[in-house]
Amino acid sequence: MEPPVRLASTGTIIHGVAVGEVLGVSTLAGARLIAGERGLGRIVQRLNVMEVPDVLAWVKPHELLLTTGYPLRNTPQSLDRLVADLDERGLAALAIKLGRYLDRLPEEMVEQADRLGFPLIQLPDDVGFDDILNQVLTDILNRQAAVLARAEEAHRALVQVVLAGGGLREVTAEVAGLLDVAVAVLDGTGQVLAAAGPAEHLATLPGTPEGGHTSLPVVAGGHHHGRIVACGPVGSVSDSDVGILERAATVAALVVTRQEAVNAVESKYRADFLRDVLTGRAGGSERVAARAKAFGWDLERPVTVLVAELDPEGDERVAQDRLVTCWTAAMRRHDPRGAVAGFSHEVVTIVDAAVDAGRLAKDAAAAFAECLPATFSTGASRTAAGAEALPEAYGQALKAARVGRQLHGPAAVAHFDQLGVYRLLSLVSDTAELHAFVRETLGPLAADADAENADLRRTLQVLLDTNLNVAETARRLHFHYNTLRYRIGKLERMLGNFTEDAHLRLNLTLALHVLRMRGI
């Protein structure tokens, strides 16, 4: 369950003082609370004086309304309604001088104030409104100045943390120390990136604690990077503390964007190096091993190369970024010394040969499916012993991914050694020769331009798959037996007597396999 989000202030709201604190100022030493004791915690941010009947049109939230009772002298029966109207408009309290225009407040008004928790205050006769205004406003402004000074001091401290090279861990520790609460920074998926503070409150993050959360978004450059959350006992995070959290969210956004920039550069270096390794341009084995160690990779042991390619359709840019993230996380769980990098349309992973490639791909697919309605196909190479064998292994994995998709559809996982005859066909480097073989063997059936020929090719495929079982082929294609016999005669006139010639059947089968690998 997501914690309630407390919206950040805009900087225009003045931090006020509670009604109970207002009653403690010297000018109100003789004041008396008539009703609404439950509302003494209401915040006073401004003061107003009511000496006209239509004051409701001019009042604002968090006001302490002062009056002599003059506008109310002729309508005492409406005073209970006045309390409800003031409470509905969010006022903090009503302070009134009795004796000159009103001798006493109606019982209905007092009862209404108690029900609503709306403070009614009787002011001393000898105190002027100007004295009350001056003293209370001075207290409010002093409180505001103190809050702003504390927030600015916190901001300077947080900026110093970042300038000194600190990250999210140091930022959360600084804020937790300032507010004496647990503080965490979460990413967009709700995962904790860094946390600090009392252990009893950290245990509740990012769940729903007894005391509640104060949460602010971490936004930079118009992008939502997550949120910063503070958690403590009930009431431990005050409204004035939100200003510090706002500054912390800004600094956290700076740290996140800085780290993203560093990661982007490092990712490019990793991808460029791995591409050079897989194309044989990275140099000798010793040089490759030394540079790989700098990235935390071990390429000197027997390894398997995996290629994950996005299946067609979907937002490729977003999906590619997420694909890299999911494969990186999955690879770290299975092989912390493995290599992973994202290229333009694929993610290449090099893992220990002892790692279960199918399980690794399954884990990456599960994480990928949680975030995006897209799929990818994975190909695995044979075991490669050393950096010199990696280019060949990369080619094997790439072919396995593409052939696997052609044979089994999207989200396929295929190993090069399990491709059967397709493995042999994929090793033929002269694709023009393969295409010529298809045209010579299948003749007019090799093209898709004619719908009738494509349909005949389908009939031929099923016949070969059933080992020329005419009854089974008719059943699969939903043809009448005589219709199928007619089609077989037509096919033999076009291709030769394949029902009697085993070598011709083999050639036809291979040609159809090559067609299924079209585009690979």
Side-chain angles (χ1 to χ4, degrees):
M1 178 179 177
E2 289 290 320
V5 175
R6 178 180 292 177
L7 296 178
S9 68
T10 62
T12 60
I13 296 179
I14 299 174
H15 294 278
V17 294
V19 174
E21 294 178 277
V22 171
L23 290 174
V25 302
S26 58
T27 55
L28 294 179
R32 182 174 69 89
L33 181 68
I34 301 174
E37 184 176 1
R38 287 189 299 108
L40 290 179
R42 293 188 181 215
I43 299 300
V44 178
Q45 294 177 341
R46 53 179 68 87
L47 287 85
N48 198 354
V49 177
M50 178 179 72
E51 297 299 0
V52 292
D54 60 344
V55 70
L56 289 176
W58 308 101
V59 296
K60 296 178 181 178
H62 302 293
E63 277 187 347
L64 171 60
L65 193 58
L66 308 176
T67 183
T68 61
Y70 177 77
L72 311 173
R73 68 193 189 285
N74 297 323
T75 57
Q77 69 280 0
S78 65
L79 292 181
D80 59 331
R81 181 65 250 173
L82 175 66
V83 168
D85 289 338
L86 295 178
D87 177 70
E88 185 179 340
R89 284 164 173 76
L91 266 72
L94 174 65
I96 187 169
K97 283 188 177 183
L98 297 178
R100 185 170 182 182
Y101 300 108
L102 286 175
D103 292 329
R104 54 188 291 275
L105 297 179
E107 288 298 325
E108 294 82 356
M109 183 180 186
V110 175
E111 292 173 1
Q112 179 78 306
D114 277 328
R115 280 196 301 272
L116 297 173
F118 183 81
L120 292 179
I121 303 168
Q122 181 178 346
L123 296 173
D125 292 334
D126 57 347
V127 178
F129 284 172
D130 56 341
D131 293 329
I132 299 174
L133 291 167
N134 286 334
Q135 191 166 10
V136 175
L137 285 175
T138 297
D139 284 356
I140 291 174
L141 292 174
N142 287 341
R143 179 70 58 84
Q144 170 76 359
V147 168
L148 292 177
R150 181 168 175 254
E152 288 302 320
E153 182 181 351
H155 183 71
R156 284 194 295 271
L158 291 169
V159 170
Q160 285 302 317
V161 167
V162 177
L163 292 177
L168 292 178
R169 184 174 59 181
E170 289 74 18
V171 169
T172 55
E174 184 72 23
V175 180
L178 289 169
L179 303 183
D180 194 25
V181 295
V183 177
V185 176
L186 314 180
D187 65 14
T189 65
Q191 296 298 311
V192 178
L193 300 178
E200 64 270 22
H201 300 313
L202 279 176
T204 68
L205 292 169
T208 303
E210 295 178 0
H213 286 164
T214 299
S215 177
L216 293 174
V218 175
V219 180
H223 298 288
H224 192 288
H225 295 281
R227 52 197 172 95
I228 186 167
V229 181
C231 172
V234 176
S236 61
V237 181
S238 65
D239 289 338
S240 62
D241 292 336
V242 175
I244 294 178
L245 282 177
E246 288 175 347
R247 286 158 173 77
T250 301
V251 173
L254 175 64
V255 173
V256 170
T257 52
R258 181 188 67 183
Q259 189 59 47
E260 285 185 346
V262 172
N263 290 343
V265 173
E266 291 181 349
S267 178
K268 183 179 184 304
Y269 280 130
R270 286 194 297 268
D272 289 345
F273 171 62
L274 191 58
R275 186 181 288 107
D276 287 343
V277 170
L278 297 177
T279 54
R281 299 197 304 266
S285 298
E286 292 185 2
R287 183 171 183 272
V288 169
R291 289 195 62 188
K293 285 181 180 178
F295 291 120
W297 301 344
D298 182 1
L299 302 184
E300 296 181 285
R301 56 189 174 162
V303 294
T304 301
V305 178
L306 302 175
V307 172
E309 272 195 332
L310 287 170
D311 293 322
E313 300 179 1
D315 187 335
E316 185 173 309
R317 182 184 60 81
V318 175
Q320 180 68 16
D321 292 342
R322 187 61 194 170
L323 187 63
V324 175
T325 301
C326 292
W327 270 94
T328 301
M331 185 273 296
R332 285 174 180 166
R333 290 192 296 271
H334 289 263
D335 181 11
R337 295 185 301 159
V340 61
F343 297 164
S344 57
H345 301 289
E346 64 197 32
V347 174
V348 179
T349 306
I350 302 178
V351 298
D352 192 312
V355 171
D356 186 337
R359 186 178 180 84
L360 173 59
K362 184 178 179 180
D363 286 355
F368 189 70
E370 290 179 359
C371 304
L372 292 170
T375 58
F376 60 85
S377 295
T378 306
S381 73
R382 293 170 172 169
T383 298
E388 297 90 345
L390 289 177
E392 181 181 359
Y394 170 63
Q396 294 170 358
L398 192 60
K399 289 173 182 175
R402 296 178 178 177
V403 173
R405 180 189 294 115
Q406 289 285 81
L407 298 181
H408 309 297
V413 178
H415 194 286
F416 185 72
D417 278 341
Q418 297 172 348
L419 296 180
V421 69
Y422 295 100
R423 185 183 79 201
L424 298 177
L425 292 174
S426 68
L427 293 175
V428 178
S429 58
D430 190 350
T431 56
E433 186 63 32
L434 281 177
H435 294 157
F437 170 74
V438 170
R439 290 192 299 271
E440 292 168 4
T441 305
L442 294 179
L445 299 188
D448 290 330
D450 190 313
E452 183 181 0
N453 286 340
D455 192 34
L456 284 172
R457 189 173 69 228
R458 165 68 176 157
T459 301
L460 175 64
Q461 178 72 66
V462 178
L463 273 169
L464 295 173
D465 289 344
T466 60
N467 197 25
L468 300 184
N469 187 322
V470 178
E472 176 61 17
T473 301
R475 186 189 66 80
R476 290 190 187 184
L477 295 176
H478 307 289
F479 287 162
H480 189 276
Y481 182 85
N482 291 334
T483 301
L484 183 58
R485 296 302 307 177
Y486 168 77
R487 285 185 168 232
I488 292 174
K490 189 171 184 178
L491 284 168
E492 290 198 316
R493 286 192 296 275
M494 297 173 69
L495 304 173
N497 188 17
F498 64 88
T499 58
E500 301 293 337
D501 189 339
H503 292 291
L504 178 55
R505 288 200 299 275
L506 175 61
N507 288 342
L508 292 172
T509 300
L510 287 174
L512 290 172
H513 282 325
V514 173
L515 274 183
R516 291 190 68 184
M517 294 173 60
R518 185 178 299 164
I520 299 173

